[in-house]
Amino acid sequence: MADAGDLNLSLTPLAVVVTTPAYSGLGPALTYVHDRPLEPGTLVRVPLGKRELLGLVWEAPGLSLEGLEPGQARAVLQVFDAIPPLNAAWRGLASFAARYYQRSLGEVALAALPPQLRDLQVEQLARKLKRLAKAAAGSPKTQGRQFNQAADSEPVMPESWSVGDTKAGPELSPEQAIALERFQTADRPALLFGTTGSGKTEIYLRAVQELLEQDPQAQALIMVPEINLTPQLEARFMERFARWGVVSLHSGLTPAQRLDHWLAAHQGRARIVLGTRMAIFASLPQLRLIVVDEEHDPSYKSQEGARYSARDLAVYRAKRENQGRAPGHCRVLLGSATPSLESWRAAEIGRYLKLEMPQRIGGGALPRLRLVNMNHQPKQCVLAPALLESIAERAARGEQSMLLLNRRGYAPVLACHACGWKSDCPHCSAHAVFHKIDRTLRCHHCGYSSRVPYACPGCGNLDIAPVGRGTEQLEEQLVGLLAHARRADGEPIRVLRLDADSTRAKGSLEQQLAGMHEGEFDVLVGTQMIAKGHDFRRITLVASVNADGGLFASDYRAPERLFALLLQAAGRAGRDAEFVAAQDTAVELWVQTWYPEHPLFVALAQHDYPAFATQQLEEREAALMPPYSFQALVRAEARTQEAAQALLNLAAQAGEPLPGREHLTLYPAVPMAIQRVANVERAQMLIESDSRPALQAFLAAWQEQLQLARSQPEAKGVLRWAIDVDPLAI
Ligand code: ADP
Ligand code: ZN
Ligand code: ZN
């Protein structure tokens, strides 16, 4: 290690990006010195204050030591030269994301690396790499599996694996063949608009296969909303592509696994990365294909730190990879049966290439919609008698049903009818949810939990009662209502509940799903997690028990989300055309509603997403809402609601002279929908513009004003503020 003292002249100055707190005044990169130049993208360890940090060498044309006191720029401590630098395209992605989402480069770039890298010394990494290389050399054909073993365990190989074999898939349907061919020659992002069960996954698999066979170096990135919810998809990729090395990247991995998988992708040993939104930042030096499955899914938008949209970054990343190359070098494929309105519009105006697959594989019919008018049902009825009967009949024939209710727990609130007491969370402006299973009241916002009181805390009344219904209660009631019915083997009907509570234990979700696939259960009850992606073969009825919340929510995206959810859920039914034909059964989507005339249901009955999208887009255009305008939301958290709002309003005043301001509308600060969480008051301000550049320019300049406003007396007690660009929920 060089002493920076008198040697300044023989030392090279380097710009190094580290995780610095925002507004530390330290700027995007710090200056260090080293005894030789280092390429941008090189990982290093540097001192900062008394600490030692992971850093990334960044480009800084014209950086010099002039003007610095001798010894002022400290020396780089260690250089990770056993791994290649992060390439220019990756750095371009990180700096774009930082700029666009209004965060510091250090925060975005360093958060995009596996956390374990931060604590690793150079020798430790070198040892790890040696171990990984040895393991890979020992079993070259089985990398994929092996990376997905726990980091230090020996790879286990199933006997049946034909080593080195890429399992070929089924022959493509004519629709699939056309879609794939058009995609392979696309010169722009492609939107695969394919109905549920139309074989979109097969298109992804084939696109990956063709690319990897044709280019021995190429890498592919496959993004999925929530990997643990769709173990089937992961299994399909693992099985098909074992020989090419498949690794996953998601939050369920141990830190050691995450680092191993990241390294495999970074070094090119893994050719395929399958992951959730965080995988958009994986280092893939030979990236040539990005697939975003279920591209409309809200989980692609991060809700913390840099609030990036992994789907939008995927489109940017492909474009960046193509800089200076042919436009089709790196392709991006967004797939959905219910695309986001943003992507739909992009396809309508030709910015994206639209690929359509309206038919189900095997020619299976889409479920017929049966609206249940709740105004005409017996009083207090949970499930319409006709629906119950249909479920029972199906179970008797060996078919399965699925019931969707978007609320977990037993009841959303406990109440006393004598004095009006409600089970409110003491720390949030929200009810604590009643969970009967362990007789607790739990707040789903802050985690607060308490025993259910024996009597009403307000008046001593012993008769406190649950109000409303959650999945736990629906399961209980369903078992009671179906007590008389029998399954095909004469046994009582079996109900399975799947939600965040029932699947908390590791592996339990997969186990329960396997039970469903094997026909162990007749009815599946759950939250939206059961609607996503699963390839159930024996479900012929899907029912939404209470969907009306989505019809009249204040959030203008609620109808879009409801439509997508119902169509997704419906897509779990009748996926096996042969089974349906053999059963001679009707595949149905039942929706219980108090508003059967609502236009959303009319479009749903036709499975007509384009009509629904057109109608929604017309409304959005008339109201100048996204995608016809651009939004950002600034949120402030404080000890008091007044302070949170004052910060936003003061900053808005101070922002008057800033660039872009004349193209913006700043709305007054308002409390957030759930105003208080964990004793913190929350307020937000919406900013709207018809010009994205104006919005971007303003936000970049405005951050300083927001920070300055914190020191005003009115904003005393402000804890933090954050900007959310292209917010999903308002
Ligand atoms: P999607 O992702 O569009 O919902 P999938 O890709 O899961 O649809 O396909 C639905 C089912 O059809 C799966 O069981 C899949 O294995 C099967 N499948 C897909 N393509 C074909 C094909 N060309 N021939 C036969 N079966 C297919
Ligand atoms: Zn009471
Ligand atoms: Zn709470």
Side-chain angles (χ1 to χ4, degrees), residues 425 427-428 443 445-448 678:
C425 171
H427 310 297
C428 305
C443 174
H445 300 283
C446 73
Y448 162 85

Side-chain angles (χ1 to χ4, degrees), residues 170-173 176 194-204 206 236 293-294 357 361 533 535 537 572 575:
E171 195 182 324
L172 294 184
S173 72
Q176 283 175 317
T195 222
T196 52
S198 60
K200 294 187 290 296
T201 314
E202 196 54 47
I203 298 279
Y204 309 154
R206 213 58 73 91
R236 267 167 92 177
D293 186 26
E294 310 290 5
M357 298 203 303
I361 291 290
D535 193 17
R537 312 304 290 173
R572 300 314 107 210
R575 294 178 71 84

Side-chain angles (χ1 to χ4, degrees), residues 92-103 108 301 306-309 312-313 316 629-632 692-693 695-697 699-700 703 723-727:
L93 173 71
S95 52
F96 171 79
R99 227 172 28 246
Y100 187 84
Y101 293 105
Q102 308 290 333
R103 313 296 291 202
V108 172
K301 179 89 158 95
R307 290 167 178 253
Y308 62 89
S309 156
D312 295 349
L313 286 182
Y316 175 82
S629 66
F630 307 96
Q631 295 181 330
R692 201 194 282 286
L695 180 62
Q696 287 286 319
L699 291 175
Q703 296 197 39
I723 295 176
D724 184 351
V725 179
D726 303 332

